[in-house]
Amino acid sequence: MHGVERLVVVLLFDGVDLLDVTGPAEVFSLLRREAEDARPYRVVLAAGTMDPVTTAAGVRVLPDLTFDEAATRSIDTLLVPGSVESGDRRRVRAVTDPALVRRVKTLAGRSRRIASVCVGAHLLAAAGLLDGRRATTHWSTARQLAAEHPSVEVDADPIFIRDGDVWTGAGITACLDLSLALVAEDFGEAVALRVARQLVMYLKRPGGQSQFSVPLDPVSTTRRMEDLRHFVARNVTEHLTVAVLARHAHVSERQLTRIFKDELGTTPAAYVEAARVEVARTHLETTDSTLERVASASGFATTDTLVRAFRRRLGTTPSEYRGRFRRAPRGAGAPR
């Protein structure tokens, strides 16, 4: 589908969280810089009327089209943000307007893929789109979602969850992580990684307390370091000692160590290990390869070395990581 413009419809309504609307749009716009497609996505904001909508932040936003007009289009991705109301003791509750829920249900029927942002999961659940599915939302309203929709398997820990072609995301800045995951599904991990670097953020960020991801490589300030980073990425399965890297950079081993410290704030060995962990993460998420094959494909000499690296950097094991983040096969659990 490269070269085909994908219509992304973002719901707009009074009280919506502003970042839930603008965050995904920013991710999709940055994709134009990083993908060969001139306009891989076209993002439009849909509301009940063409009048300005006042967000929870007080910023007014203009819709591009009405819900009725959107319902006549073939939608690639429907993004459903949410809104909350505050109660006693600063407690918040997700707001689900029945009229909006009906619109969500109608537009979902026109969409290839559906994704909720933050408490937008409550709108999907009220529309019956999460029945029998695993879903997440902002931690502050997860109990409300579970109580009001017992047919939904609510997990407040992950940053986002995919169940077939229905995605749900956790709170606030997680809209960026979710949007990057959608980009990765459509255009591949490498493109999503480049977009994430433009945002200076994680490609994938976990929810809750657990740290299941490593940060992006810091941006280098010299051509020499950029060349070294690309050399490591291209040769991650090779024996990348300090001596090998130093020879490639045409510097002494002492100079190389100083360069890594000054440019990236790390050692050559630690950088190589981090790069191999990233490769292993992708294999664990997208394949059923044995741990022996994953270790070999990512440059680890043994599975024990792989396991130690995961424990050191992610606080988990490769098997636990795969159990948590293995992606469902395309087409599984399609929207009902």
Side-chain angles (χ1 to χ4, degrees):
M1 289 186 67
H2 280 236
V4 178
E5 188 175 73
R6 305 160 192 260
L7 181 64
V8 178
V9 174
V10 184
L11 265 63
L12 200 59
F13 49 90
D14 283 332
V16 68
D17 287 326
L18 179 61
L19 187 59
D20 291 356
V21 175
T22 59
E26 186 67 24
V27 171
F28 297 141
S29 70
L30 286 174
L31 179 65
R32 298 179 187 178
R33 303 181 192 174
E34 304 299 337
E36 295 178 0
D37 309 62
R39 297 182 64 187
Y41 294 107
R42 183 163 69 92
V43 180
V44 297
L45 309 181
T49 69
M50 294 299 291
D51 295 333
V53 170
T54 303
T55 67
V59 177
R60 295 200 302 171
V61 181
L62 291 175
D64 296 302
L65 73 174
T66 66
F67 290 144
D68 288 334
E69 291 171 325
T72 67
R73 309 290 181 87
S74 179
I75 302 170
D76 179 82
T77 304
L78 177 67
L79 281 179
V80 181
S83 63
V84 298
E85 59 185 6
S86 298
D88 297 335
R89 300 179 182 178
R90 298 182 181 177
R91 293 176 181 172
V92 297
R93 288 187 58 81
V95 178
T96 51
D97 176 53
L100 188 57
V101 170
R102 289 193 293 272
R103 293 293 193 174
V104 169
K105 194 169 186 177
T106 298
L107 294 174
R110 302 283 303 171
S111 306
R112 175 183 72 88
R113 178 174 61 188
I114 307 159
S116 65
V117 183
C118 196
V119 297
H122 292 259
L123 291 169
L124 294 191
L129 299 170
L130 297 183
D131 289 349
R133 297 185 186 275
R134 181 168 168 260
T136 192
T137 186
H138 191 278
W139 60 266
S140 65
T141 66
R143 288 186 179 181
Q144 177 191 352
L145 183 63
E148 294 179 353
H149 302 281
S151 60
V152 180
E153 182 186 345
V154 179
D155 186 347
D157 183 48
I159 279 291
F160 60 83
I161 290 175
R162 176 190 179 184
D163 192 330
D165 289 326
V166 178
W167 300 64
T168 51
I172 317 300
T173 57
C175 66
L176 303 178
D177 302 272
L178 173 62
S179 301
L180 285 167
L182 298 177
V183 169
E185 182 187 40
D186 293 339
F187 294 93
E189 295 284 351
V191 172
L193 179 59
R194 294 200 297 270
V195 174
R197 284 194 176 114
Q198 292 288 340
L199 292 164
V200 194
M201 63 174 290
Y202 291 82
L203 174 58
K204 282 188 178 179
R205 190 180 57 172
Q209 300 296 316
S210 302
Q211 191 70 16
F212 285 90
S213 180
V214 296
L216 295 174
D217 308 325
V219 177
S220 308
T221 59
T222 65
R223 183 173 297 179
R224 173 183 288 169
M225 180 52 71
E226 276 299 294
D227 179 64
L228 274 169
R229 291 171 64 243
H230 287 296
F231 177 75
V232 171
R234 291 193 306 267
N235 299 279
V236 72
T237 60
E238 301 300 320
H239 190 51
L240 296 177
T241 63
V242 173
V244 169
L245 296 177
R247 282 198 300 272
H248 177 77
H250 303 291
V251 297
S252 69
E253 294 182 26
R254 179 175 294 180
Q255 283 178 298
L256 182 85
T257 300
R258 185 169 61 250
I259 290 170
F260 267 87
K261 181 179 180 181
D262 293 342
E263 290 281 338
L264 303 183
T266 188
T267 66
Y271 181 86
V272 170
E273 181 181 81
R276 286 171 172 162
V277 166
E278 285 300 294
V279 173
R281 285 178 59 239
T282 299
H283 281 281
L284 292 168
E285 293 172 7
T286 60
T287 76
D288 292 318
S289 297
T290 64
L291 291 187
E292 289 80 5
R293 289 185 177 180
V294 170
S296 177
S298 51
F300 290 103
T302 65
T303 55
D304 286 342
T305 308
L306 172 69
V307 170
R308 287 197 298 271
F310 263 66
R311 286 196 179 280
R312 180 164 46 249
R313 295 192 168 272
L314 308 182
T316 187
T317 67
S319 296
E320 289 169 347
Y321 183 90
R322 169 176 273 165
R324 192 175 192 83
F325 291 110
R326 175 71 171 97
R327 297 177 193 166
R330 185 181 294 273
R336 298 170 179 82

